[in-house]
Amino acid sequence: HVGWPVQTILARLFPTADSEAVALLHEIVLDVICNRVKAREGRLYDAVPEALGSLHEAGHLLAVASNGRRQYVEAVLATYGLTELFVTPITADQFGDKPALLREYSDRHRVTPGHMVMVGDRASDVEAARAIGCHFIGCDYGHGHRQEIAGAGPVVSAFNEVPSAVAYLLHH
């Protein structure tokens, strides 16, 4: 199931496998995925660099709250020239789940949850935002299903709509 951590996917695919074998497979899968990212075999959604640049220029701190491991997050940011737009990534392999990541960003950067916005496409993103009390913007074009994000906050249909949704949430 796309959007779940690789470790969760592997545990569900191989529930009786030895944990060391699953950990090794996880490392191999991570290396393959990162190499494919670095080879630009994937693509960003339309207008992502421009929208992120706009948010950054408006003075917003940008952070990644992903189930992806540090190696993957850094590969994506570096490959697509986005690293300088973001604060140093905190990843799930360092701190655990998404609520823990959001709390750590809040603490490190002294930003109260009321001044934070989680942007996502999965129920886990909604749950993370609710767990710490921050705003949420749903993306109906990602891996998740619209019902996972329904009612949690504004929903955008393209990434270039995110900056105006952020402005609305933080200034109203």
Side-chain angles (χ1 to χ4, degrees):
H1 195 295
V2 177
W4 286 349
V6 171
Q7 192 168 0
T8 301
I9 294 168
L10 295 176
R12 290 182 182 201
L13 286 173
F14 309 108
T16 60
D18 175 69
S19 62
E20 289 180 22
V22 172
L24 178 59
L25 183 56
H26 187 192
E27 292 302 319
I28 293 167
V29 168
L30 180 63
D31 285 341
V32 168
I33 290 170
C34 289
N35 287 334
R36 294 189 78 170
V37 166
K38 291 173 185 175
R40 292 182 169 261
E41 291 183 28
R43 69 176 189 88
L44 297 175
Y45 289 109
D46 292 338
V48 166
E50 298 82 3
L52 292 173
S54 171
L55 288 164
H56 182 75
E57 288 173 17
H60 297 290
L61 292 178
L62 303 179
V64 176
S66 169
N67 287 325
R69 293 177 64 183
R70 184 175 199 85
Q71 181 181 345
Y72 171 75
V73 170
E74 289 178 347
V76 171
L77 294 177
T79 298
Y80 295 99
L82 303 172
T83 303
E84 69 279 354
L85 299 177
F86 287 84
V87 298
T88 301
I90 299 170
T91 56
D93 53 318
Q94 297 171 293
F95 287 92
D97 60 12
K98 288 181 184 179
L101 298 178
L102 295 178
R103 285 187 196 97
E104 184 64 22
Y105 280 124
S106 176
D107 292 346
R108 280 191 189 184
H109 299 284
R110 296 186 170 108
V111 179
T112 62
H115 289 93
M116 295 172 65
V117 179
M118 174 72 166
V119 178
D121 64 345
R122 303 302 313 254
S124 63
D125 301 320
V126 174
E127 292 162 8
R130 286 184 177 148
I132 73 153
C134 76
H135 300 281
F136 179 79
I137 296 171
C139 301
D140 69 359
Y141 55 86
H143 297 299
H145 302 282
R146 190 174 181 95
Q147 66 265 23
E148 291 185 63
I149 58 174
V155 174
V156 298
S157 296
F159 201 83
N160 64 354
E161 298 172 13
V162 170
S164 60
V166 167
Y168 174 80
L169 287 173
L170 295 180
H171 301 294
H172 285 87

